[in-house]
Amino acid sequence: MRTRARNVKNTFYLTTPIFYPNAKLHLGHAYTMTLADALARYHRRNDEKVHFLAGSDENTQKMVDAAAKAGAEPIAFLDGIVQNFMKLYASLDISYDQFIRTTDTNVHWPGAQALWELLLAAGDLYKKEYEGLYCVGHEAFITDKDLVDGKCPDHGTEPEQLREENYFFRLSKYADALREKIASDELRIVPQSRKKEILSFISGGLEDVSFSRPRRSSWPRGLGIPVPGDDSQVMYVWCDALANYISALGFGRDDALYQEFWPADVHIIGKDILRFHAAIWPAMLLSAGLPLPKTLFVHGFITSGGKKMSKTLGNVIDPEDLIDTYGPDAVRYFLLRHISPFEDGDITREGFKEAYTANLTNGLGNLVARVMKLAEEHLSGPVKLAGEDTIVSGEFAEKVETFRFNEAMDVVFEKIAVADVFMTEREPYKKIKSADASEKEVARRDIESLVRQLASIAAHLAPAMPATSKAILAAIRENRKPENLFPRL
Ligand code: MSP
């Protein structure tokens, strides 16, 4: 796609958080996936072999509870929700290469168990008694903070003080090593503010973390990964969920993909799971003697009308509603351009509609329609595009590679503005009707130039708005005005 030399390996491994399938995905999840997808598409067009991983985090008490509430058997319940994940990803054009489920006993469990065994062999797992407040309804420990008037708010019962045996992971041992790797950018954390946040967290010292739970009788066999060599225990979230990033590649099973793609080039995560990914996960890898991921890209949260989306506030925006009304590319456009990738960003239905009308209907859509109408009516055939017409600029590449998607989109929309000005100033639509042959020829060339500008715009839009990019390039190839790209709504 572009010529700038890169002396990096030509594979690119990109992961996303595996989401909990106890509820429908909302716009926040769609946001993570859109960022990841734009990055994956960019790197594919850069001739890199991309592996883009998505998945679901299924071995939790929340899942058992949600299934019970729905009156369903847990695994069947999960199958249904995972299908909804995939449906949303299909409608948003998310081009993931693999979907990992942590209940997959063939793919995920051997990887998580192999990792566990490495931690054990390193002497970093030990058994200890754990004491805490236990909610019988949850069949799990809860903390003081969870209580309302001394009772579990979900079950209305007082928790019991309970002791049980857990395996613990020696996270404390790795605090210095982690600080050094993060400070030196061997494990790069983007943006800087998150790097600072985690460094100060680690400086406060790290405590060992509980890595297993006794197997509860109510848990079906398919849920919860047995601790190797100790069937009375199942893995707790850390080794279970985080291991997905390597189990997906066949770690502990058939590791050809692991050899090819690990370490991950980028783990994309939301700010809520920074500590797991920047402290526990790299410490596990250090303990196991495995390479660390190269970069953690930590995005902010989406709010609606300045507030966290919540059913009670009535400000929840369902990504499927937006996609149904405006189409996938408009949603991707908004998320990538109007939400800062590093800070929290806000969305309202009104703001969305305004951006759609101003920038897509009146901006991009109108430009494409005007240029291609002129081309269809006045050019003898399709403009033959040269390689350079569809190379992305160094400025754009640099912004995408540093995750500044909103600025990368500004680069594209600047090109749209330039083309608009070109059209207004040079008036090819008037001159093409001139009786003067040379003026007519100037107009014809200007139309050709505008078509080339559209091709460049389409190339730059390919990672963010793939369907629009394709539609523009097809219109150019066939020299016809395309269907209305962004109808007025
Ligand atoms: N299962 C864990 C992740 C384990 S990764 C090994 C989990 N799942 S989750 O379903 O709660 O998803 C959390 C992630 O969803 C965030 O990290 C972020 O990617 C995304 N988001 C959830 N709410 C969000 C917003 N309001 N805004 C942006 N992203 C949000 O945590």
Side-chain angles (χ1 to χ4, degrees):
M1 168 171 72
R2 74 201 159 88
T3 48
R4 202 150 69 88
R6 289 165 60 98
N7 54 356
V8 290
K9 66 178 174 123
N10 63 354
T11 59
F12 189 82
Y13 182 34
L14 169 66
T15 73
T16 50
I18 48 173
F19 301 129
Y20 291 127
N22 54 323
K24 252 182 112 171
L25 294 183
H26 57 65
L27 201 64
H29 304 108
Y31 179 57
T32 307
M33 296 311 286
T34 302
L35 292 173
D37 188 67
L39 198 61
R41 287 177 188 271
Y42 169 84
H43 283 276
R44 281 194 202 107
R45 289 174 61 89
N46 217 13
D47 280 341
E48 289 161 80
K49 189 168 173 196
V50 171
H51 195 75
F52 170 12
L53 182 67
S56 54
D57 190 353
E58 307 184 0
N59 297 309
T60 73
Q61 184 62 40
K62 273 193 208 156
M63 274 358 108
V64 181
D65 294 345
K69 213 169 148 192
E73 187 274 317
I75 300 288
F77 172 77
L78 290 168
D79 289 347
I81 305 229
V82 164
Q83 280 191 354
N84 289 337
F85 278 26
M86 293 179 170
K87 223 178 96 207
L88 173 67
Y89 297 169
S91 66
L92 197 54
D93 250 347
I94 303 297
S95 61
Y96 60 90
D97 295 295
Q98 185 185 2
F99 192 101
I100 179 137
R101 299 182 56 177
T102 58
T103 47
D104 189 327
T105 52
N106 296 321
V107 173
H108 179 60
W109 292 22
Q113 288 174 328
L115 181 59
W116 180 283
E117 301 213 30
L118 289 174
L119 306 183
L120 191 67
D124 287 336
L125 291 174
Y126 61 93
K127 254 186 164 174
K128 194 178 90 170
E129 236 177 30
Y130 181 90
E131 187 172 351
L133 294 172
Y134 184 81
C135 168
V136 180
H138 274 113
E139 294 190 48
F141 285 93
I142 56 177
T143 64
D144 261 335
K145 276 190 293 185
D146 298 324
L147 303 181
V148 176
D149 299 331
K151 290 181 177 165
C152 165
D154 294 340
H155 298 99
T157 51
E158 275 180 30
E160 304 166 13
Q161 192 73 21
L162 194 90
R163 283 161 185 243
E164 62 176 34
E165 272 209 320
N166 291 183
Y167 285 91
F168 274 71
F169 172 65
R170 287 188 210 282
L171 181 60
S172 55
K173 180 174 150 187
Y174 291 96
D176 289 341
L178 285 173
R179 221 180 23 228
E180 192 270 312
K181 307 266 178 208
I182 293 169
S184 69
D185 284 342
E186 189 179 325
L187 169 57
R188 194 162 68 105
I189 298 183
V190 178
Q192 280 286 329
S193 54
R194 299 291 170 208
K195 173 177 171 181
K196 281 201 194 125
E197 177 186 329
I198 197 70
L199 283 173
S200 100
F201 172 70
I202 297 173
S203 297
L206 295 175
E207 284 181 23
D208 292 353
V209 281
S210 166
F211 251 46
S212 73
R213 293 286 183 267
R215 171 178 287 287
R216 320 258 181 238
S217 52
S218 65
W219 272 45
R221 290 307 290 185
L223 216 64
I225 307 175
V227 163
D230 187 347
D231 210 36
S232 71
Q233 299 262 327
V234 292
M235 290 183 197
Y236 188 53
V237 312
W238 317 121
C239 193
D240 176 345
L242 291 162
N244 90 87
Y245 300 132
I246 56 174
S247 69
L249 298 178
F251 184 79
R253 186 168 43 90
D254 163 7
D255 70 352
L257 278 179
Y258 172 82
Q259 294 301 340
E260 187 176 7
F261 286 103
W262 191 258
D265 292 272
V266 182
H267 288 317
I268 296 195
I269 56 169
K271 65 178 184 179
D272 55 327
I273 52 177
L274 173 64
R275 289 180 185 179
F276 317 153
H277 284 79
I280 300 180
W281 176 230
M284 290 166 67
L285 293 166
L286 288 174
S287 166
L290 303 175
L292 299 186
K294 291 182 193 160
T295 303
L296 283 181
F297 162 42
V298 190
H299 66 74
F301 261 35
I302 296 194
T303 54
S304 177
K307 302 213 170 67
K308 192 172 176 238
M309 287 186 215
S310 91
K311 281 200 189 115
T312 13
L313 288 175
N315 63 346
V316 177
I317 297 181
D318 181 349
E320 280 172 351
D321 277 358
L322 281 184
I323 297 168
D324 285 348
T325 311
Y326 295 96
D329 276 8
V331 177
R332 295 169 64 104
Y333 162 79
F334 188 90
L335 295 175
L336 290 165
R337 184 159 187 229
H338 295 277
I339 305 279
S340 151
F342 305 136
E343 316 282 334
D344 290 355
D346 198 59
I347 179 171
T348 57
R349 287 183 188 281
E350 302 72 45
F352 188 98
K353 187 167 184 188
E354 214 176 286
Y356 172 85
T357 305
N359 301 312
L360 298 181
T361 308
N362 299 341
L364 176 61
N366 184 44
L367 175 74
V368 173
R370 287 171 75 201
V371 171
M372 290 317 299
K373 184 162 186 288
L374 285 175
E376 183 179 310
E377 284 173 6
H378 303 290
L379 299 184
S380 55
V383 173
K384 292 234 169 353
L385 297 178
E388 71 240 32
D389 292 324
T390 52
I391 287 176
V392 302
S393 73
E395 186 193 9
F396 175 85
E398 208 256 329
K399 290 188 187 300
V400 176
E401 288 175 21
T402 51
F403 314 111
R404 287 173 289 149
F405 298 99
N406 52 345
E407 293 176 19
M409 291 300 275
D410 288 344
V411 170
V412 189
F413 277 75
E414 182 56 32
K415 286 177 183 293
I416 294 169
V418 166
D420 272 334
V421 169
F422 185 96
M423 177 84 105
T424 314
E425 284 181 352
R426 298 189 60 92
E427 301 184 316
Y429 45 90
K430 268 194 196 155
K431 292 186 185 153
I432 198 76
K433 293 178 189 143
S434 166
D436 174 1
S438 72
E439 187 159 277
K440 222 179 160 90
E441 177 56 16
V442 168
R444 207 191 53 73
R445 280 179 197 219
D446 282 349
I447 295 171
E448 229 178 81
S449 160
L450 280 163
V451 171
R452 284 187 203 286
Q453 291 179 53
L454 279 190
S456 169
I457 289 164
H460 284 82
L461 282 176
M465 302 171 71
T468 304
S469 168
K470 253 174 113 172
I472 298 173
L473 288 170
I476 295 174
R477 251 193 331 270
E478 294 157 24
N479 199 41
R480 55 157 182 86
K481 179 173 168 274
E483 294 286 308
N484 199 352
L485 291 176
F486 301 102
R488 196 164 297 280
L489 291 172

